[in-house]
Amino acid sequence: MVESELIQVRHLFRQPPTKVFDHWLAEHRAGRWMFATPQGRMHHLQLEFTPNQQFRVIEQSDGRHWVHTAEYHQMLRPHLLLFSCSTSATASCTQPGLGEPDMVQLQFQPHPLGCELVLSHQTSAQWALCRQQLIEGWTHIFASLMAELNDLEYQPGEILN
């Protein structure tokens, strides 16, 4: 049996930590970049951003519905977000259900050029086999957030600096 695994993804934004943090929590903007995929279509986005509150995203992609839910456990503006999350759909590399939620920590660190966002994702065992897909997914989310912050249209595969 595969054990859980820690995945880390880093991204440098040219905006200060406060702006990146606030965009992460802006419901009216998050639907344009959070969990958005080139082939997916967002059906529902409900965000409640207080500790112990949840957000829920329903995405249709490849004829399937993906339901992403998360519960925030810690929010320290503009430095830290900690939440548990789960997805209720099958992935191509394995067939997880709604088992143990994953834990995700976002650290918004000041950087001379703006903000370094450090994501630490402790996967549950059911998602550990999807390591590369998770890294690619978070990288896509960060690129979409960067495009949103810069008022650009992100195209997959395009490098935005």
Side-chain angles (χ1 to χ4, degrees), residues 62-134:
D62 299 325
R64 292 184 287 183
H65 283 86
W66 297 79
V67 180
H68 309 281
T69 58
E71 180 178 353
Y72 282 92
H73 301 286
Q74 193 171 9
M75 300 171 80
L76 298 172
R77 182 179 186 266
H79 307 289
L80 176 73
L81 289 172
L82 177 66
F83 58 92
S84 55
C85 62
S86 61
T87 298
S88 64
T90 59
S92 60
C93 66
T94 185
Q95 294 203 356
L98 277 175
E100 270 307 295
D102 292 358
M103 292 301 294
V104 177
Q105 176 179 282
L106 295 169
Q107 295 176 321
F108 301 80
Q109 301 174 346
H111 186 278
L113 297 175
C115 171
E116 182 178 26
L117 181 51
V118 180
L119 174 133
S120 300
H121 181 159
Q122 185 68 50
T123 68
S124 56
Q126 66 187 0
W127 288 106
L129 293 174
C130 297
R131 175 183 172 79
Q132 189 58 39
Q133 287 175 292
L134 290 168

Side-chain angles (χ1 to χ4, degrees), residues 2-155:
V2 178
E3 297 295 319
S4 67
E5 186 171 349
L6 179 64
I7 294 169
Q8 284 201 324
V9 179
R10 296 173 177 266
H11 193 87
L12 182 61
F13 293 88
R14 293 202 171 143
Q15 292 78 14
T18 302
K19 185 168 184 177
V20 179
F21 185 96
D22 290 347
H23 254 66
W24 190 275
L25 299 178
E27 181 175 7
H28 65 284
R29 295 176 187 255
R32 294 194 297 241
W33 61 267
M34 186 183 286
F35 297 106
T37 60
Q39 67 279 9
R41 184 167 168 240
M42 214 58 59
H43 280 278
H44 174 79
L45 176 64
Q46 177 183 344
L47 305 174
E48 297 175 17
F49 292 116
T50 57
N52 300 316
Q53 294 296 314
Q54 293 188 345
F55 71 78
R56 179 179 166 156
V57 177
I58 300 173
E59 173 191 6
Q60 182 180 351
S61 177
D62 299 325
R64 292 184 287 183
H65 283 86
W66 297 79
V67 180
H68 309 281
T69 58
E71 180 178 353
Y72 282 92
H73 301 286
Q74 193 171 9
M75 300 171 80
L76 298 172
R77 182 179 186 266
H79 307 289
L80 176 73
L81 289 172
L82 177 66
F83 58 92
S84 55
C85 62
S86 61
T87 298
S88 64
T90 59
S92 60
C93 66
T94 185
Q95 294 203 356
L98 277 175
E100 270 307 295
D102 292 358
M103 292 301 294
V104 177
Q105 176 179 282
L106 295 169
Q107 295 176 321
F108 301 80
Q109 301 174 346
H111 186 278
L113 297 175
C115 171
E116 182 178 26
L117 181 51
V118 180
L119 174 133
S120 300
H121 181 159
Q122 185 68 50
T123 68
S124 56
Q126 66 187 0
W127 288 106
L129 293 174
C130 297
R131 175 183 172 79
Q132 189 58 39
Q133 287 175 292
L134 290 168
I135 291 170
E136 290 170 6
W138 285 118
T139 301
H140 174 78
I141 286 173
F142 286 177
S144 297
L145 174 58
M146 182 176 63
E148 176 72 20
L149 284 162
N150 292 322
D151 289 327
L152 300 172
E153 186 172 330
Y154 170 67
Q155 298 296 322

